[in-house]
Amino acid sequence: MSSRRSAPPVASPAGAADGAARRSAGRAYRDDPVGRDVSVERNLGYGASARMGWVVDDRALLYAKAGVIGSEFETRYRTGGADLRQSDTQVGARLSGGVELPANDQLAVRLEYTHARYEDYQIDLPSGTDSFEPSENLFQAGVVWRF
């Protein structure tokens, strides 16, 4: 059983697509018609990546990054009177693309999009298991100062 969702950071149980989603304090929640209440929180994250870029018109830097990411997920699952909590550390792939535009000799503005896809994991329920397929999409803007 599994379903795919792409929300930063969300992992959805199977059959949850018909439910209403809500967010609060860094957690993603999903209620569905069969009475499941699920929240997934990504706690600690770490990773490494390599960047390769191309200079365009002697000014803009277009780049791509690829790497590995690890994150800890705290899953709370309520169904049929059962209130379950489970912590999982998952490893995944991270792909990014961006542009860096100089404002002057020392200052540049950076825009970047990142997609991360983690390993699937399961939570054990009294009536079986439910699978999660966590992924995350991230848009970032930043300032680069060169010394």
Side-chain angles (χ1 to χ4, degrees), residues 43-80:
N43 295 322
L44 178 65
Y46 54 90
S49 59
R51 179 172 86 159
M52 180 172 52
W54 302 268
V55 176
V56 179
D57 291 333
D58 291 329
R59 294 200 39 86
L61 173 67
L62 295 176
Y63 64 89
K65 290 191 328 187
V68 64
I69 188 168
S71 291
E72 180 183 295
F73 292 92
E74 180 74 32
T75 306
R76 183 173 180 197
Y77 196 108
R78 285 189 287 186
T79 182

PDB file of all heavy atoms in Angstrom, residues 43-80:
ATOM      1  N   ASN A  43      12.601  16.010  11.285  1.00  0.00           N
ATOM      2  CA  ASN A  43      13.361  16.653  12.351  1.00  0.00           C
ATOM      3  C   ASN A  43      14.760  17.039  11.890  1.00  0.00           C
ATOM      4  O   ASN A  43      14.986  18.133  11.432  1.00  0.00           O
ATOM      5  CB  ASN A  43      13.427  15.754  13.584  1.00  0.00           C
ATOM      6  CG  ASN A  43      12.060  15.543  14.194  1.00  0.00           C
ATOM      7  OD1 ASN A  43      11.250  16.455  14.232  1.00  0.00           O
ATOM      8  ND2 ASN A  43      11.779  14.351  14.658  1.00  0.00           N
ATOM      9  N   LEU A  44      15.682  16.160  11.967  1.00  0.00           N
ATOM     10  CA  LEU A  44      17.077  16.427  11.662  1.00  0.00           C
ATOM     11  C   LEU A  44      17.377  16.041  10.222  1.00  0.00           C
ATOM     12  O   LEU A  44      16.950  15.003   9.749  1.00  0.00           O
ATOM     13  CB  LEU A  44      17.965  15.605  12.613  1.00  0.00           C
ATOM     14  CG  LEU A  44      19.459  15.700  12.427  1.00  0.00           C
ATOM     15  CD1 LEU A  44      19.928  17.120  12.733  1.00  0.00           C
ATOM     16  CD2 LEU A  44      20.158  14.723  13.336  1.00  0.00           C
ATOM     17  N   GLY A  45      18.106  16.887   9.518  1.00  0.00           N
ATOM     18  CA  GLY A  45      18.510  16.579   8.155  1.00  0.00           C
ATOM     19  C   GLY A  45      19.994  16.855   7.955  1.00  0.00           C
ATOM     20  O   GLY A  45      20.566  17.740   8.592  1.00  0.00           O
ATOM     21  N   TYR A  46      20.649  16.102   7.096  1.00  0.00           N
ATOM     22  CA  TYR A  46      22.059  16.284   6.789  1.00  0.00           C
ATOM     23  C   TYR A  46      22.287  15.803   5.362  1.00  0.00           C
ATOM     24  O   TYR A  46      21.485  15.048   4.817  1.00  0.00           O
ATOM     25  CB  TYR A  46      22.952  15.506   7.757  1.00  0.00           C
ATOM     26  CG  TYR A  46      22.583  14.036   7.837  1.00  0.00           C
ATOM     27  CD1 TYR A  46      23.174  13.114   6.991  1.00  0.00           C
ATOM     28  CD2 TYR A  46      21.626  13.588   8.742  1.00  0.00           C
ATOM     29  CE1 TYR A  46      22.827  11.779   7.038  1.00  0.00           C
ATOM     30  CE2 TYR A  46      21.269  12.255   8.800  1.00  0.00           C
ATOM     31  CZ  TYR A  46      21.879  11.355   7.949  1.00  0.00           C
ATOM     32  OH  TYR A  46      21.518  10.037   7.988  1.00  0.00           O
ATOM     33  N   GLY A  47      23.344  16.262   4.727  1.00  0.00           N
ATOM     34  CA  GLY A  47      23.609  15.814   3.374  1.00  0.00           C
ATOM     35  C   GLY A  47      24.899  16.372   2.818  1.00  0.00           C
ATOM     36  O   GLY A  47      25.579  17.192   3.445  1.00  0.00           O
ATOM     37  N   ALA A  48      25.219  15.927   1.627  1.00  0.00           N
ATOM     38  CA  ALA A  48      26.389  16.402   0.887  1.00  0.00           C
ATOM     39  C   ALA A  48      26.033  16.386  -0.589  1.00  0.00           C
ATOM     40  O   ALA A  48      25.270  15.537  -1.046  1.00  0.00           O
ATOM     41  CB  ALA A  48      27.590  15.500   1.153  1.00  0.00           C
ATOM     42  N   SER A  49      26.574  17.362  -1.313  1.00  0.00           N
ATOM     43  CA  SER A  49      26.292  17.408  -2.743  1.00  0.00           C
ATOM     44  C   SER A  49      27.472  18.025  -3.482  1.00  0.00           C
ATOM     45  O   SER A  49      28.338  18.660  -2.889  1.00  0.00           O
ATOM     46  CB  SER A  49      25.012  18.197  -3.026  1.00  0.00           C
ATOM     47  OG  SER A  49      25.116  19.515  -2.543  1.00  0.00           O
ATOM     48  N   ALA A  50      27.486  17.829  -4.790  1.00  0.00           N
ATOM     49  CA  ALA A  50      28.495  18.411  -5.668  1.00  0.00           C
ATOM     50  C   ALA A  50      27.779  19.339  -6.648  1.00  0.00           C
ATOM     51  O   ALA A  50      26.669  19.042  -7.088  1.00  0.00           O
ATOM     52  CB  ALA A  50      29.242  17.325  -6.416  1.00  0.00           C
ATOM     53  N   ARG A  51      28.424  20.457  -6.985  1.00  0.00           N
ATOM     54  CA  ARG A  51      27.820  21.441  -7.880  1.00  0.00           C
ATOM     55  C   ARG A  51      28.692  21.610  -9.120  1.00  0.00           C
ATOM     56  O   ARG A  51      29.912  21.691  -9.029  1.00  0.00           O
ATOM     57  CB  ARG A  51      27.675  22.776  -7.151  1.00  0.00           C
ATOM     58  CG  ARG A  51      27.079  23.867  -8.004  1.00  0.00           C
ATOM     59  CD  ARG A  51      26.786  25.086  -7.194  1.00  0.00           C
ATOM     60  NE  ARG A  51      27.960  25.942  -7.099  1.00  0.00           N
ATOM     61  CZ  ARG A  51      27.914  27.231  -6.802  1.00  0.00           C
ATOM     62  NH1 ARG A  51      26.773  27.822  -6.544  1.00  0.00           N
ATOM     63  NH2 ARG A  51      29.022  27.928  -6.742  1.00  0.00           N
ATOM     64  N   MET A  52      28.019  21.678 -10.278  1.00  0.00           N
ATOM     65  CA  MET A  52      28.692  21.936 -11.540  1.00  0.00           C
ATOM     66  C   MET A  52      27.939  23.073 -12.225  1.00  0.00           C
ATOM     67  O   MET A  52      26.704  23.087 -12.234  1.00  0.00           O
ATOM     68  CB  MET A  52      28.677  20.692 -12.434  1.00  0.00           C
ATOM     69  CG  MET A  52      29.366  20.915 -13.753  1.00  0.00           C
ATOM     70  SD  MET A  52      29.573  19.423 -14.768  1.00  0.00           S
ATOM     71  CE  MET A  52      27.943  18.764 -14.828  1.00  0.00           C
ATOM     72  N   GLY A  53      28.675  24.054 -12.740  1.00  0.00           N
ATOM     73  CA  GLY A  53      28.001  25.203 -13.319  1.00  0.00           C
ATOM     74  C   GLY A  53      28.599  25.684 -14.616  1.00  0.00           C
ATOM     75  O   GLY A  53      29.705  25.284 -15.004  1.00  0.00           O
ATOM     76  N   TRP A  54      27.857  26.548 -15.296  1.00  0.00           N
ATOM     77  CA  TRP A  54      28.239  27.133 -16.557  1.00  0.00           C
ATOM     78  C   TRP A  54      28.035  28.641 -16.466  1.00  0.00           C
ATOM     79  O   TRP A  54      26.968  29.120 -16.078  1.00  0.00           O
ATOM     80  CB  TRP A  54      27.374  26.597 -17.687  1.00  0.00           C
ATOM     81  CG  TRP A  54      27.454  25.119 -17.811  1.00  0.00           C
ATOM     82  CD1 TRP A  54      28.299  24.412 -18.599  1.00  0.00           C
ATOM     83  CD2 TRP A  54      26.658  24.155 -17.108  1.00  0.00           C
ATOM     84  NE1 TRP A  54      28.084  23.058 -18.438  1.00  0.00           N
ATOM     85  CE2 TRP A  54      27.070  22.879 -17.523  1.00  0.00           C
ATOM     86  CE3 TRP A  54      25.634  24.230 -16.159  1.00  0.00           C
ATOM     87  CZ2 TRP A  54      26.515  21.709 -17.042  1.00  0.00           C
ATOM     88  CZ3 TRP A  54      25.074  23.066 -15.681  1.00  0.00           C
ATOM     89  CH2 TRP A  54      25.525  21.827 -16.116  1.00  0.00           C
ATOM     90  N   VAL A  55      29.027  29.409 -16.862  1.00  0.00           N
ATOM     91  CA  VAL A  55      28.927  30.864 -16.864  1.00  0.00           C
ATOM     92  C   VAL A  55      28.290  31.297 -18.184  1.00  0.00           C
ATOM     93  O   VAL A  55      28.713  30.867 -19.260  1.00  0.00           O
ATOM     94  CB  VAL A  55      30.310  31.525 -16.690  1.00  0.00           C
ATOM     95  CG1 VAL A  55      30.206  33.036 -16.791  1.00  0.00           C
ATOM     96  CG2 VAL A  55      30.919  31.109 -15.357  1.00  0.00           C
ATOM     97  N   VAL A  56      27.270  32.142 -18.099  1.00  0.00           N
ATOM     98  CA  VAL A  56      26.536  32.627 -19.261  1.00  0.00           C
ATOM     99  C   VAL A  56      26.781  34.130 -19.392  1.00  0.00           C
ATOM    100  O   VAL A  56      26.557  34.880 -18.425  1.00  0.00           O
ATOM    101  CB  VAL A  56      25.030  32.330 -19.130  1.00  0.00           C
ATOM    102  CG1 VAL A  56      24.265  32.858 -20.332  1.00  0.00           C
ATOM    103  CG2 VAL A  56      24.796  30.845 -18.935  1.00  0.00           C
ATOM    104  N   ASP A  57      27.200  34.586 -20.555  1.00  0.00           N
ATOM    105  CA  ASP A  57      27.446  36.007 -20.840  1.00  0.00           C
ATOM    106  C   ASP A  57      28.414  36.640 -19.848  1.00  0.00           C
ATOM    107  O   ASP A  57      28.269  37.816 -19.494  1.00  0.00           O
ATOM    108  CB  ASP A  57      26.136  36.801 -20.854  1.00  0.00           C
ATOM    109  CG  ASP A  57      25.259  36.438 -22.039  1.00  0.00           C
ATOM    110  OD1 ASP A  57      25.815  36.010 -23.069  1.00  0.00           O
ATOM    111  OD2 ASP A  57      24.032  36.581 -21.923  1.00  0.00           O
ATOM    112  N   ASP A  58      29.391  35.890 -19.380  1.00  0.00           N
ATOM    113  CA  ASP A  58      30.395  36.371 -18.433  1.00  0.00           C
ATOM    114  C   ASP A  58      29.808  36.962 -17.159  1.00  0.00           C
ATOM    115  O   ASP A  58      30.435  37.769 -16.484  1.00  0.00           O
ATOM    116  CB  ASP A  58      31.318  37.416 -19.091  1.00  0.00           C
ATOM    117  CG  ASP A  58      32.210  36.793 -20.138  1.00  0.00           C
ATOM    118  OD1 ASP A  58      32.560  35.610 -19.983  1.00  0.00           O
ATOM    119  OD2 ASP A  58      32.541  37.489 -21.104  1.00  0.00           O
ATOM    120  N   ARG A  59      28.574  36.613 -16.834  1.00  0.00           N
ATOM    121  CA  ARG A  59      27.945  37.171 -15.623  1.00  0.00           C
ATOM    122  C   ARG A  59      27.198  36.109 -14.824  1.00  0.00           C
ATOM    123  O   ARG A  59      27.540  35.833 -13.705  1.00  0.00           O
ATOM    124  CB  ARG A  59      26.994  38.313 -15.985  1.00  0.00           C
ATOM    125  CG  ARG A  59      27.731  39.503 -16.559  1.00  0.00           C
ATOM    126  CD  ARG A  59      26.989  40.811 -16.496  1.00  0.00           C
ATOM    127  NE  ARG A  59      26.196  41.133 -15.339  1.00  0.00           N
ATOM    128  CZ  ARG A  59      26.658  41.707 -14.230  1.00  0.00           C
ATOM    129  NH1 ARG A  59      27.936  41.977 -14.111  1.00  0.00           N
ATOM    130  NH2 ARG A  59      25.849  42.016 -13.255  1.00  0.00           N
ATOM    131  N   ALA A  60      26.164  35.564 -15.389  1.00  0.00           N
ATOM    132  CA  ALA A  60      25.293  34.639 -14.655  1.00  0.00           C
ATOM    133  C   ALA A  60      25.905  33.244 -14.587  1.00  0.00           C
ATOM    134  O   ALA A  60      26.534  32.776 -15.531  1.00  0.00           O
ATOM    135  CB  ALA A  60      23.928  34.565 -15.324  1.00  0.00           C
ATOM    136  N   LEU A  61      25.742  32.594 -13.458  1.00  0.00           N
ATOM    137  CA  LEU A  61      26.175  31.211 -13.279  1.00  0.00           C
ATOM    138  C   LEU A  61      24.933  30.334 -13.202  1.00  0.00           C
ATOM    139  O   LEU A  61      24.102  30.499 -12.300  1.00  0.00           O
ATOM    140  CB  LEU A  61      26.994  31.057 -11.991  1.00  0.00           C
ATOM    141  CG  LEU A  61      27.359  29.627 -11.609  1.00  0.00           C
ATOM    142  CD1 LEU A  61      28.334  29.032 -12.628  1.00  0.00           C
ATOM    143  CD2 LEU A  61      27.938  29.575 -10.204  1.00  0.00           C
ATOM    144  N   LEU A  62      24.760  29.445 -14.167  1.00  0.00           N
ATOM    145  CA  LEU A  62      23.716  28.423 -14.113  1.00  0.00           C
ATOM    146  C   LEU A  62      24.370  27.163 -13.576  1.00  0.00           C
ATOM    147  O   LEU A  62      25.465  26.799 -14.008  1.00  0.00           O
ATOM    148  CB  LEU A  62      23.143  28.144 -15.497  1.00  0.00           C
ATOM    149  CG  LEU A  62      22.404  29.286 -16.174  1.00  0.00           C
ATOM    150  CD1 LEU A  62      21.980  28.863 -17.576  1.00  0.00           C
ATOM    151  CD2 LEU A  62      21.197  29.699 -15.356  1.00  0.00           C
ATOM    152  N   TYR A  63      23.726  26.501 -12.617  1.00  0.00           N
ATOM    153  CA  TYR A  63      24.360  25.331 -12.024  1.00  0.00           C
ATOM    154  C   TYR A  63      23.356  24.229 -11.715  1.00  0.00           C
ATOM    155  O   TYR A  63      22.149  24.459 -11.615  1.00  0.00           O
ATOM    156  CB  TYR A  63      25.131  25.715 -10.756  1.00  0.00           C
ATOM    157  CG  TYR A  63      24.295  26.243  -9.632  1.00  0.00           C
ATOM    158  CD1 TYR A  63      23.745  25.380  -8.691  1.00  0.00           C
ATOM    159  CD2 TYR A  63      24.059  27.602  -9.496  1.00  0.00           C
ATOM    160  CE1 TYR A  63      22.980  25.866  -7.651  1.00  0.00           C
ATOM    161  CE2 TYR A  63      23.299  28.093  -8.462  1.00  0.00           C
ATOM    162  CZ  TYR A  63      22.756  27.218  -7.535  1.00  0.00           C
ATOM    163  OH  TYR A  63      21.997  27.701  -6.511  1.00  0.00           O
ATOM    164  N   ALA A  64      23.896  23.033 -11.573  1.00  0.00           N
ATOM    165  CA  ALA A  64      23.140  21.854 -11.159  1.00  0.00           C
ATOM    166  C   ALA A  64      23.891  21.210 -10.007  1.00  0.00           C
ATOM    167  O   ALA A  64      25.125  21.242  -9.958  1.00  0.00           O
ATOM    168  CB  ALA A  64      23.006  20.875 -12.320  1.00  0.00           C
ATOM    169  N   LYS A  65      23.142  20.668  -9.063  1.00  0.00           N
ATOM    170  CA  LYS A  65      23.737  19.962  -7.918  1.00  0.00           C
ATOM    171  C   LYS A  65      23.092  18.585  -7.803  1.00  0.00           C
ATOM    172  O   LYS A  65      21.906  18.426  -8.085  1.00  0.00           O
ATOM    173  CB  LYS A  65      23.501  20.716  -6.606  1.00  0.00           C
ATOM    174  CG  LYS A  65      24.272  21.977  -6.495  1.00  0.00           C
ATOM    175  CD  LYS A  65      24.290  22.633  -5.126  1.00  0.00           C
ATOM    176  CE  LYS A  65      23.115  22.506  -4.245  1.00  0.00           C
ATOM    177  NZ  LYS A  65      23.193  23.325  -3.030  1.00  0.00           N
ATOM    178  N   ALA A  66      23.877  17.641  -7.356  1.00  0.00           N
ATOM    179  CA  ALA A  66      23.375  16.302  -7.067  1.00  0.00           C
ATOM    180  C   ALA A  66      24.046  15.824  -5.794  1.00  0.00           C
ATOM    181  O   ALA A  66      25.205  16.147  -5.537  1.00  0.00           O
ATOM    182  CB  ALA A  66      23.668  15.349  -8.215  1.00  0.00           C
ATOM    183  N   GLY A  67      23.300  15.087  -4.991  1.00  0.00           N
ATOM    184  CA  GLY A  67      23.890  14.611  -3.756  1.00  0.00           C
ATOM    185  C   GLY A  67      23.002  13.640  -3.017  1.00  0.00           C
ATOM    186  O   GLY A  67      21.988  13.174  -3.521  1.00  0.00           O
ATOM    187  N   VAL A  68      23.408  13.378  -1.797  1.00  0.00           N
ATOM    188  CA  VAL A  68      22.699  12.463  -0.911  1.00  0.00           C
ATOM    189  C   VAL A  68      22.213  13.260   0.293  1.00  0.00           C
ATOM    190  O   VAL A  68      22.846  14.231   0.710  1.00  0.00           O
ATOM    191  CB  VAL A  68      23.613  11.281  -0.498  1.00  0.00           C
ATOM    192  CG1 VAL A  68      24.800  11.748   0.301  1.00  0.00           C
ATOM    193  CG2 VAL A  68      22.834  10.210   0.226  1.00  0.00           C
ATOM    194  N   ILE A  69      21.057  12.867   0.817  1.00  0.00           N
ATOM    195  CA  ILE A  69      20.482  13.546   1.979  1.00  0.00           C
ATOM    196  C   ILE A  69      19.942  12.486   2.938  1.00  0.00           C
ATOM    197  O   ILE A  69      19.468  11.435   2.511  1.00  0.00           O
ATOM    198  CB  ILE A  69      19.377  14.540   1.561  1.00  0.00           C
ATOM    199  CG1 ILE A  69      18.925  15.386   2.744  1.00  0.00           C
ATOM    200  CG2 ILE A  69      18.221  13.840   0.890  1.00  0.00           C
ATOM    201  CD1 ILE A  69      18.054  16.567   2.365  1.00  0.00           C
ATOM    202  N   GLY A  70      20.053  12.755   4.209  1.00  0.00           N
ATOM    203  CA  GLY A  70      19.479  11.894   5.233  1.00  0.00           C
ATOM    204  C   GLY A  70      18.625  12.738   6.154  1.00  0.00           C
ATOM    205  O   GLY A  70      18.974  13.884   6.448  1.00  0.00           O
ATOM    206  N   SER A  71      17.498  12.218   6.569  1.00  0.00           N
ATOM    207  CA  SER A  71      16.598  12.956   7.462  1.00  0.00           C
ATOM    208  C   SER A  71      15.903  11.997   8.410  1.00  0.00           C
ATOM    209  O   SER A  71      15.656  10.836   8.083  1.00  0.00           O
ATOM    210  CB  SER A  71      15.527  13.721   6.677  1.00  0.00           C
ATOM    211  OG  SER A  71      16.104  14.774   5.959  1.00  0.00           O
ATOM    212  N   GLU A  72      15.575  12.531   9.573  1.00  0.00           N
ATOM    213  CA  GLU A  72      14.812  11.772  10.561  1.00  0.00           C
ATOM    214  C   GLU A  72      13.352  12.200  10.455  1.00  0.00           C
ATOM    215  O   GLU A  72      13.039  13.388  10.473  1.00  0.00           O
ATOM    216  CB  GLU A  72      15.339  12.083  11.954  1.00  0.00           C
ATOM    217  CG  GLU A  72      14.605  11.350  13.052  1.00  0.00           C
ATOM    218  CD  GLU A  72      15.117  11.760  14.420  1.00  0.00           C
ATOM    219  OE1 GLU A  72      16.288  11.477  14.701  1.00  0.00           O
ATOM    220  OE2 GLU A  72      14.339  12.367  15.165  1.00  0.00           O
ATOM    221  N   PHE A  73      12.459  11.223  10.326  1.00  0.00           N
ATOM    222  CA  PHE A  73      11.026  11.469  10.247  1.00  0.00           C
ATOM    223  C   PHE A  73      10.342  10.933  11.493  1.00  0.00           C
ATOM    224  O   PHE A  73      10.582   9.797  11.897  1.00  0.00           O
ATOM    225  CB  PHE A  73      10.417  10.790   9.013  1.00  0.00           C
ATOM    226  CG  PHE A  73      10.862  11.401   7.718  1.00  0.00           C
ATOM    227  CD1 PHE A  73      11.959  10.912   7.047  1.00  0.00           C
ATOM    228  CD2 PHE A  73      10.177  12.475   7.185  1.00  0.00           C
ATOM    229  CE1 PHE A  73      12.381  11.475   5.860  1.00  0.00           C
ATOM    230  CE2 PHE A  73      10.580  13.054   5.992  1.00  0.00           C
ATOM    231  CZ  PHE A  73      11.684  12.545   5.330  1.00  0.00           C
ATOM    232  N   GLU A  74       9.503  11.748  12.100  1.00  0.00           N
ATOM    233  CA  GLU A  74       8.683  11.346  13.244  1.00  0.00           C
ATOM    234  C   GLU A  74       7.252  11.224  12.724  1.00  0.00           C
ATOM    235  O   GLU A  74       6.650  12.203  12.295  1.00  0.00           O
ATOM    236  CB  GLU A  74       8.762  12.398  14.348  1.00  0.00           C
ATOM    237  CG  GLU A  74       7.954  12.069  15.582  1.00  0.00           C
ATOM    238  CD  GLU A  74       8.587  10.971  16.427  1.00  0.00           C
ATOM    239  OE1 GLU A  74       9.830  10.875  16.442  1.00  0.00           O
ATOM    240  OE2 GLU A  74       7.834  10.219  17.059  1.00  0.00           O
ATOM    241  N   THR A  75       6.702  10.001  12.741  1.00  0.00           N
ATOM    242  CA  THR A  75       5.364   9.742  12.215  1.00  0.00           C
ATOM    243  C   THR A  75       4.418   9.431  13.366  1.00  0.00           C
ATOM    244  O   THR A  75       4.718   8.590  14.206  1.00  0.00           O
ATOM    245  CB  THR A  75       5.379   8.550  11.232  1.00  0.00           C
ATOM    246  OG1 THR A  75       6.363   8.804  10.229  1.00  0.00           O
ATOM    247  CG2 THR A  75       4.032   8.353  10.589  1.00  0.00           C
ATOM    248  N   ARG A  76       3.302  10.126  13.393  1.00  0.00           N
ATOM    249  CA  ARG A  76       2.243   9.847  14.367  1.00  0.00           C
ATOM    250  C   ARG A  76       1.025   9.415  13.577  1.00  0.00           C
ATOM    251  O   ARG A  76       0.609  10.102  12.643  1.00  0.00           O
ATOM    252  CB  ARG A  76       1.924  11.085  15.185  1.00  0.00           C
ATOM    253  CG  ARG A  76       0.888  10.795  16.241  1.00  0.00           C
ATOM    254  CD  ARG A  76       0.699  11.960  17.159  1.00  0.00           C
ATOM    255  NE  ARG A  76      -0.317  11.614  18.143  1.00  0.00           N
ATOM    256  CZ  ARG A  76      -0.945  12.484  18.871  1.00  0.00           C
ATOM    257  NH1 ARG A  76      -0.649  13.763  18.773  1.00  0.00           N
ATOM    258  NH2 ARG A  76      -1.846  12.104  19.729  1.00  0.00           N
ATOM    259  N   TYR A  77       0.462   8.291  13.950  1.00  0.00           N
ATOM    260  CA  TYR A  77      -0.603   7.659  13.185  1.00  0.00           C
ATOM    261  C   TYR A  77      -1.702   7.247  14.157  1.00  0.00           C
ATOM    262  O   TYR A  77      -1.468   6.466  15.069  1.00  0.00           O
ATOM    263  CB  TYR A  77      -0.026   6.430  12.482  1.00  0.00           C
ATOM    264  CG  TYR A  77      -0.837   5.859  11.359  1.00  0.00           C
ATOM    265  CD1 TYR A  77      -0.421   6.015  10.047  1.00  0.00           C
ATOM    266  CD2 TYR A  77      -1.996   5.147  11.594  1.00  0.00           C
ATOM    267  CE1 TYR A  77      -1.137   5.465   9.005  1.00  0.00           C
ATOM    268  CE2 TYR A  77      -2.721   4.608  10.563  1.00  0.00           C
ATOM    269  CZ  TYR A  77      -2.290   4.763   9.263  1.00  0.00           C
ATOM    270  OH  TYR A  77      -3.003   4.223   8.230  1.00  0.00           O
ATOM    271  N   ARG A  78      -2.894   7.809  13.989  1.00  0.00           N
ATOM    272  CA  ARG A  78      -4.041   7.428  14.828  1.00  0.00           C
ATOM    273  C   ARG A  78      -5.118   6.803  13.961  1.00  0.00           C
ATOM    274  O   ARG A  78      -5.525   7.388  12.966  1.00  0.00           O
ATOM    275  CB  ARG A  78      -4.606   8.644  15.549  1.00  0.00           C
ATOM    276  CG  ARG A  78      -3.737   9.087  16.691  1.00  0.00           C
ATOM    277  CD  ARG A  78      -4.416  10.124  17.504  1.00  0.00           C
ATOM    278  NE  ARG A  78      -4.423  11.361  16.741  1.00  0.00           N
ATOM    279  CZ  ARG A  78      -4.849  12.517  17.201  1.00  0.00           C
ATOM    280  NH1 ARG A  78      -5.326  12.608  18.415  1.00  0.00           N
ATOM    281  NH2 ARG A  78      -4.811  13.590  16.463  1.00  0.00           N
ATOM    282  N   THR A  79      -5.558   5.626  14.355  1.00  0.00           N
ATOM    283  CA  THR A  79      -6.635   4.950  13.654  1.00  0.00           C
ATOM    284  C   THR A  79      -7.284   3.941  14.593  1.00  0.00           C
ATOM    285  O   THR A  79      -6.589   3.265  15.345  1.00  0.00           O
ATOM    286  CB  THR A  79      -6.143   4.238  12.376  1.00  0.00           C
ATOM    287  OG1 THR A  79      -7.259   3.647  11.713  1.00  0.00           O
ATOM    288  CG2 THR A  79      -5.118   3.177  12.663  1.00  0.00           C
ATOM    289  N   GLY A  80      -8.589   3.866  14.574  1.00  0.00           N
ATOM    290  CA  GLY A  80      -9.311   2.871  15.361  1.00  0.00           C
ATOM    291  C   GLY A  80      -8.941   2.836  16.823  1.00  0.00           C
ATOM    292  O   GLY A  80      -8.842   1.777  17.415  1.00  0.00           O
TER     293      GLY A  80
END
